[in-house]
Every structure is written in structure tokens, then in C-alpha cells.
Amino acid sequence: MTHMVYLTRRERFNAAHKLWVAEWDEPTNLRTFGGCANPNWHGHNYELFITVRGTPDPVTGFCMDLKILSDLVEEHVINQVDHRNLNLDVPFMKGRQTTAENIVIAFWEQLEGPVSDHGCTLHALKLYETENNIVEYFGGS
Amino acid sequence: MTHMVYLTRRERFNAAHKLWVAEWDEPTNLRTFGGCANPNWHGHNYELFITVRGTPDPVTGFCMDLKILSDLVEEHVINQVDHRNLNLDVPFMKGRQTTAENIVIAFWEQLEGPVSDHGCTLHALKLYETENNIVEYFGGS
Amino acid sequence: MTHMVYLTRRERFNAAHKLWVAEWDEPTNLRTFGGCANPNWHGHNYELFITVRGTPDPVTGFCMDLKILSDLVEEHVINQVDHRNLNLDVPFMKGRQTTAENIVIAFWEQLEGPVSDHGCTLHALKLYETENNIVEYFGGS
Amino acid sequence: MTHMVYLTRRERFNAAHKLWVAEWDEPTNLRTFGGCANPNWHGHNYELFITVRGTPDPVTGFCMDLKILSDLVEEHVINQVDHRNLNLDVPFMKGRQTTAENIVIAFWEQLEGPVSDHGCTLHALKLYETENNIVEYFGGS
Amino acid sequence: MTHMVYLTRRERFNAAHKLWVAEWDEPTNLRTFGGCANPNWHGHNYELFITVRGTPDPVTGFCMDLKILSDLVEEHVINQVDHRNLNLDVPFMKGRQTTAENIVIAFWEQLEGPVSDHGCTLHALKLYETENNIVEYFGGS
Amino acid sequence: MTHMVYLTRRERFNAAHKLWVAEWDEPTNLRTFGGCANPNWHGHNYELFITVRGTPDPVTGFCMDLKILSDLVEEHVINQVDHRNLNLDVPFMKGRQTTAENIVIAFWEQLEGPVSDHGCTLHALKLYETENNIVEYFGGS
């Protein structure tokens, strides 16, 4: 019998951003995005749940050492976005609106390969922008 | 590649209810439902997580504006149940036991159409009756 | 040296209530209390933090056995209010508006004596009516 | 139309454990498991979410009485592990590394039958070892 | 007997800021404030607990209507800071470092008068910058 | 005017312990401490809130750099207790019952001096043993 287990690590980062379409004028941006289009930025304490799946090693009992998963996420995501401006400071967000939807898609691209290199499969990314606003992504198809 | 993203909004409401089968006598109700059958009602701070799925708009980066989703849920659900008695005051609960199971099924009927009208698909409703008692529903089949 | 330690136990209860002044007509009640005056009641998951103070016993290291504190609170408060209607079912709330302010004052009267009988002093009661609305009481003076 | 509802109960337990491979020497264990291999044990407040699925009874509105589910979990899991040492005191963990991955697999074996006996299907077990480290299991295949 | 009750309302806001001393060069700012000195800003989901004290009205049972308290805080604080840049967009923060310490002192100045005008006394402001970093202020002396 | 601000840092540690009076026989220990006297230990995810008080520096706006406070707590407390057995592995707990009451008193002795050396005063230690059991200590007198 195969025991597929889903392992989740929580990480956090604090960042500034704004929602803004460069091709639109300011009134259109404000009408569409409300306060999220404030030209001087606003920010969030983002909370990210990274889920990988795999089968536990018969000796260690680990799908993946959570310390390794945490280090991967720190290297490929957190170090790029923590205490940064998501619109200005993050190369992999360039040319993308910094909605929570687009952030998890971009994070997926950063993490899918490194997770596979350690014998598990990236299963889901769940991002809390606030306690009320949450997105989840399971990869493209 | 299609990027299906799952977007969740949290909403809350405070309501009174009781569990009671009209065809049963009081001892049978109390034996079956315990304190939940208290004739003078009890109540909860319900916490509702509404998940819709869709693909982000290439310009705005939104699957659905969360402000619109919040307004839909407020109009079709929260305004009907907040600070109400679920057994007496809510037309769409009439004739139904007000268990958490039946509440999410009824909420689904209220929300499935309005969410579709805005270009997303209702994916899941998760309802916390207490921090220990939770139901989730993904639609009928 | 005296080591005063403050010991807190969390308990929870689910109850129905409404805010209503019997001497007022319905429009005045609704104008004053809004949805909280819904004639058919509403309800809450109340969360109560009971804090007692005392010095740890040199042998057991306990100010007070938390099991004993929990039992006292269950007997004198939780069993009276859980799955009840605070306006109709609770003798010690009779004649009192069931605001969070009045609830903690009434609970204090129930708990002050029993806590003293077990060698500690009741220090504070903190009651969450919702995650946003909280009252705290340290006794009268 | 069939209404499959997913019902979740949260339970908690406090236990000691360590991660240790008997065939390895101490330096290898410490290098592999870090502080989790401390010979004198460490411990956790484990938080367990048990999810069952089923269709609500047309009369009671219950998939399964949550009181019954809670009792089953207490009898078959919590009473075996709460205030215990997972490596030494729990018969069904003997011969298994006490990683979170292996704990949920073992709990599944304990709970699958009893849940079926009450007309629902065990759907998922989610275990929080800490607020940052979480595993989820949906049964073997 | 006087019954002093402490009433708390939770409010939230999302804002951008940075820590930066204009008289210092960039290396000194970065050495002192670390990532908080990122020139392009970062941000937070701030959580604010506003506590007022007073005695419950003998008729309504209210120290202060929490709806009024919430409106006061929205008018005098939240509307000024939500979805804003605390360094650039908030008149009452001009000339002040936007540390959590200085933010609660500034908020106190905004709220002390309006709370007094409604018959209660501002007692405490508690601000969560993150789940790990919290400040509390009880007014100057 | 003096602006006293209270600054709190949250830290966490996972440890094993048991409650046991060496001079008592096993039945007396079990009768007094229940499951907490399990000879093979149990454990907790302890959550510690360290509060210091001071006035913000006019230039930096800091009472105390929270990074420094976090480092102090890590050096003097967390590194001694995390992933340890509180009864066996922690020199400053030797000869003391490992109740939450005694733990915060012992932590106070470890932290009072180092906090003073950095220009603030240790104000309070709050320790969550579980979500329901909490102690707070403000120093001896």
C-alpha cells in the first residue's frame, strides 16, 4: 500500500505593493482597485502555506525534512520578497500585477523545481493576504 | 497553460438556533440533540469561508474582485442570517434542520448562481460552528 | 520574596440573547441596539478567560490546580449559561441587560467566593463576545 | 441529488517524543534529526482535525453526530496518546518513527473502522505538530 | 459599588512604511534598521486593540456603544492610515519615525479627546505589527 | 511628558516535562497531578510573551530593538529549553517543579538582568502551556 502524505510548512513575509495598470489613468485605477491603488503603496503581513506530497521514508519517517523545505522556501521565495516592494524589488514579479492570484502563480514557478529536486512534489500554495482574503493554487494544467 | 486559482473570502455572522424535530416529543429531542435542543435557543459566532475558482484576468490579475465576492455573500447570505434566528427568521432555512450540514447546503443554493454570474465557479463553502466543529461542502452531484 | 503569579483558564460557551429594554417600544429598541434587538434572538460563541492570582505552593508548584479552577467555573458559570438563552434561562441574569459588560459583572459575583475558598483571589474576567468585541472586569470598588 | 458533506472535529493532545533510529549512532541521529533527537525527549501540543464524509440524515440533519465522532476519536486515539510518550507508551506506534507523517498514518488505522461502523467514511486527518509544521493524510492506495 | 469595565474593540489596517533617519546615510540606516530600512518600503497588516474604561449605563448596560467606538476609531485613525504609506500619507505621523512605539503614541493623541467626548476614558492601545511584535501604551504621564 | 511604552515579543519552544514530587509515592503523584505525572513524560508547544517597558528613543523611535530583545531571550531562555526536557536538561530548573508558575519565575531570573543591561525594564512574562492554560508574572516583591 502507498501512503501519500501531504506536508505543509508555514512561512511569513512583510511586503509593500500596489495594484496599478500602467496603461490606465489614475481615476480608472482608483475606481478598479480602490485603496489598493494608493500611489504611495500599502502593505501586508503575508502568510504562506507550502504543501508538498510524497511517501515517508521507511527509515527516517520523513516525506521531506521540513528544515530542508523551509530552507528552500527561504532561498527561492522569502529572501526575495520579505521587507521588499513586490512591484519594484522582485525580479520574478516584473510585468505582473501583484494580486494574490499572480503572486502564488509566480511562487509556484520558483518552488516547483527545487521541491522536485528533493524527492517530493509541490502540491499546493496557499497565501493569506489578510485574515479574510486567501488564494490557493495547485499548479497549471 | 491554464492557471486555475482558488480564491477564498472569510465572512462572519452571529445567529441563534436550536436542533428540534417537530414530530418528536421533548425527551426524544433532548436525548438526540442534547443542549442543542434547548427550547429557548442558543447561538453561535459562525465563520464562513467562501471559495470560488477561476483564472486571473490578464490585465487586472483578479479571478474575481474580492470586494464583489464579499458584496454577493453579504447580499445573498449574511444579510439574511446575521443577528437572526436560523429556525424562525430565514426563509431559505424553513423546513430544514439548522445543522451546520444543512446550513452549508442551503448557502450553496443561494450563492451558486450569483457567483456564476460574475465569471467564477463556486468551489467550496466551509463553515465553523465552533473552533472544534466544522463542515465543508463542494456542491451536490 | 513573594512571587505573585496570575493564572488564567480559558472556557467557552454558546448562548442566545438579545438586548432589549422592556420599558421602551420596539422602534426605540431597534434604534438603540440595532440587530442585537432582533426579537427572535441571536447568539454567540462566548470565550471567557478567568484569571486568579496567588503564590505557588512550595511543594506542588501550583497557585491553584487548573483542574479545580476549571471545575469551579464549570459549576458556577458554564453549566448555567452554555446552550442557554441568557435573557430567559439564567437566574443570575434576571433583571439585567445581557450586554457583555453586565455578563462579566454577574460572572464575577458567581466566581469570587468559590475562588477564595480555594486559596486564590479572583483577579480578572475577560469575555470575548466576538473576535472584535471584548470586555474585561477586575471587580467593583 | 446527493449532498456529500465533509464534517471535521478538532481534538488536541500533549505528548512527548523523539526522533531516533536505533541502528544509528548518536552523532548520526543528531545530524539527521537535530534537536528532535534529544535523548531526554521533547514534546508538543498536537492539534488533530478529523474529517469524515457522508450525506446528512433527512430527519436529524446530521452526517454523523459530532459527539459520537468526538467519542470515537477519544477512545481510539486521544486516550492512547494524551499525556503520553509516543515512543514508549503507545502500542500502535511501536516500531515506527514518531514523525508527524507516521503518526497520521497510524491514527488512520485506528479510526477508519470505527468511523465506517457509524455510517460515514474517514476522509482526512490533519495534524499540526506546531503552528508551522502540518501533515495531512487521506488514506493509502 | 462602582463597576469599572474595560471595553475593547479590535480594528485592522494595511499600510506601507519604512524606518529611516533622514540625517543618517544609507549604510547607517540599514545597519540600524535592517530590512525595515528598505528604501522602496515594506508593509504590514496592523491589528489595533482600543480599550476604553467606564461604568455600564444602568438602562442600556453599555459603557459605550461599541458601534460608536468603532466609528470614532474609523474616523480618527483607520481612515487616515488604511491602505496608506505611514511615512508619506499621514499628517499626524509627519516628523516621526514610524516605529510601532511612535504609532501608538500618535494614535493616542487622535483618540483621547473623541473617547472622552462620549463619556468613557481611553485606557490602552495595543498594536500588533506582526504576530510576534506587539506594543501597548496607556498614555503619557 | 513621559511616554512609557510596553513592548512585547512572542517566542516559542517545544519541551518535555512531568510534574512529580520525589518525596511522594507514585499513587500520590498520580492522584495530585493526573496525566501530568506520567513517568515517561509528556510535552508542550510553549508560547512565551516577553514584555519590557521603556520610553522610545527620540531618534530611532525604539524602546528597544526587538531584534536585540529576541536575541536576549533566545540566548538566556529559548536555547536552554527548546527541544529539551525541563526536568532533566535545564540547569536553572533543577530542584523546582516544572509547573507553568515556576517556569515563568525561573525565566524572570534569567531575563531581568539582561533586559536592564539594554536600557529597558522587564515588565511581564506570559506563558501559554496550552491554549487554555496560561500564567503571567510581573516579578517578585
Coordinates of all heavy atoms in Angstrom, one line a residue, chain F residues 73-82 84-86 89-92 110:
Chain F
V73 N 16.4 36.8 24.6 CA 15.5 35.8 25.0 C 16.0 34.4 24.5 O 16.0 33.4 25.2 CB 14.1 36.0 24.6 CG1 13.2 34.9 25.0 CG2 13.6 37.4 25.2
E74 N 16.5 34.4 23.3 CA 17.0 33.2 22.7 C 18.2 32.7 23.5 O 18.3 31.5 23.8 CB 17.3 33.4 21.2 CG 17.5 32.1 20.4 CD 17.7 32.4 18.9 OE1 17.0 33.3 18.4 OE2 18.4 31.6 18.3
E75 N 19.1 33.6 23.8 CA 20.4 33.2 24.4 C 20.1 32.7 25.9 O 20.6 31.7 26.3 CB 21.3 34.4 24.5 CG 22.6 34.1 25.2 CD 23.5 35.3 25.5 OE1 23.2 36.4 24.9 OE2 24.4 35.2 26.3
H76 N 19.3 33.5 26.6 CA 19.1 33.2 28.0 C 18.0 32.2 28.4 O 17.9 31.7 29.4 CB 18.9 34.5 28.8 CG 20.1 35.4 28.8 ND1 21.2 35.2 29.6 CD2 20.4 36.4 27.9 CE1 22.1 36.1 29.3 NE2 21.7 36.9 28.3
V77 N 17.0 32.0 27.4 CA 15.9 31.2 27.7 C 15.7 30.1 26.6 O 15.8 28.9 26.9 CB 14.6 31.9 27.9 CG1 13.4 31.0 28.0 CG2 14.7 32.8 29.2
I78 N 15.4 30.5 25.4 CA 15.0 29.5 24.4 C 16.1 28.5 24.1 O 15.8 27.3 24.1 CB 14.6 30.3 23.1 CG1 13.5 31.3 23.3 CG2 14.2 29.2 22.0 CD1 12.2 30.8 23.9
N79 N 17.3 28.9 24.0 CA 18.4 27.9 23.7 C 18.5 26.9 24.9 O 19.1 25.8 24.7 CB 19.7 28.6 23.5 CG 19.8 29.3 22.2 OD1 18.9 29.0 21.3 ND2 20.8 30.1 21.9
Q80 N 18.1 27.3 26.1 CA 18.2 26.4 27.2 C 17.0 25.4 27.3 O 17.2 24.3 27.9 CB 18.2 27.1 28.6 CG 18.9 28.5 28.6 CD 20.4 28.3 28.4 OE1 21.0 27.4 29.0 NE2 21.0 29.1 27.6
V81 N 15.9 25.7 26.7 CA 14.7 24.9 26.9 C 14.1 24.3 25.7 O 13.3 23.3 25.8 CB 13.6 25.7 27.7 CG1 14.0 26.1 29.1 CG2 13.2 27.0 26.8
D82 N 14.4 24.8 24.5 CA 13.8 24.3 23.3 C 14.3 22.9 22.9 O 15.5 22.7 22.9 CB 14.1 25.3 22.1 CG 13.2 24.9 20.9 OD1 12.1 24.4 21.1 OD2 13.7 25.1 19.8
R84 N 14.1 20.4 24.7 CA 14.7 19.8 25.9 C 13.7 19.2 26.9 O 12.5 19.4 26.7 CB 15.5 20.9 26.7 CG 16.6 21.6 25.9 CD 17.7 20.7 25.7 NE 18.7 21.3 24.8 CZ 19.7 22.1 25.2 NH1 19.8 22.3 26.5 NH2 20.5 22.7 24.3
N85 N 14.2 18.5 27.9 CA 13.3 18.0 29.0 C 13.5 19.0 30.1 O 14.6 19.2 30.6 CB 13.8 16.6 29.3 CG 13.0 16.0 30.4 OD1 12.7 16.6 31.5 ND2 12.5 14.8 30.2
L86 N 12.4 19.7 30.5 CA 12.5 20.7 31.5 C 13.0 20.2 32.9 O 13.6 20.9 33.6 CB 11.2 21.5 31.7 CG 10.7 22.2 30.4 CD1 9.3 22.8 30.7 CD2 11.7 23.2 29.9
D89 N 17.1 18.5 31.7 CA 18.1 19.2 30.8 C 18.4 20.6 31.2 O 19.3 21.2 30.5 CB 17.7 19.1 29.4 CG 17.6 17.7 28.8 OD1 18.3 16.8 29.3 OD2 16.8 17.5 27.9
V90 N 17.7 21.2 32.1 CA 17.7 22.7 32.2 C 18.3 23.0 33.6 O 17.6 23.0 34.6 CB 16.3 23.3 32.0 CG1 16.5 24.9 32.1 CG2 15.7 22.9 30.7
P91 N 19.6 23.5 33.6 CA 20.2 23.7 35.0 C 19.3 24.7 35.8 O 19.1 24.4 37.0 CB 21.5 24.4 34.6 CG 21.8 23.8 33.2 CD 20.5 23.6 32.5
F92 N 18.8 25.7 35.3 CA 18.1 26.7 36.1 C 16.7 26.2 36.6 O 16.0 26.9 37.4 CB 18.0 28.1 35.5 CG 17.2 28.2 34.3 CD1 15.8 28.2 34.3 CD2 17.9 28.5 33.0 CE1 15.1 28.3 33.1 CE2 17.1 28.6 31.9 CZ 15.8 28.5 31.9
Q110 N 16.3 34.7 34.7 CA 17.2 34.7 33.6 C 17.2 36.0 32.8 O 18.3 36.4 32.2 CB 16.9 33.5 32.6 CG 16.9 32.1 33.2 CD 18.3 31.8 33.7 OE1 18.6 31.8 34.9 NE2 19.3 31.7 32.8

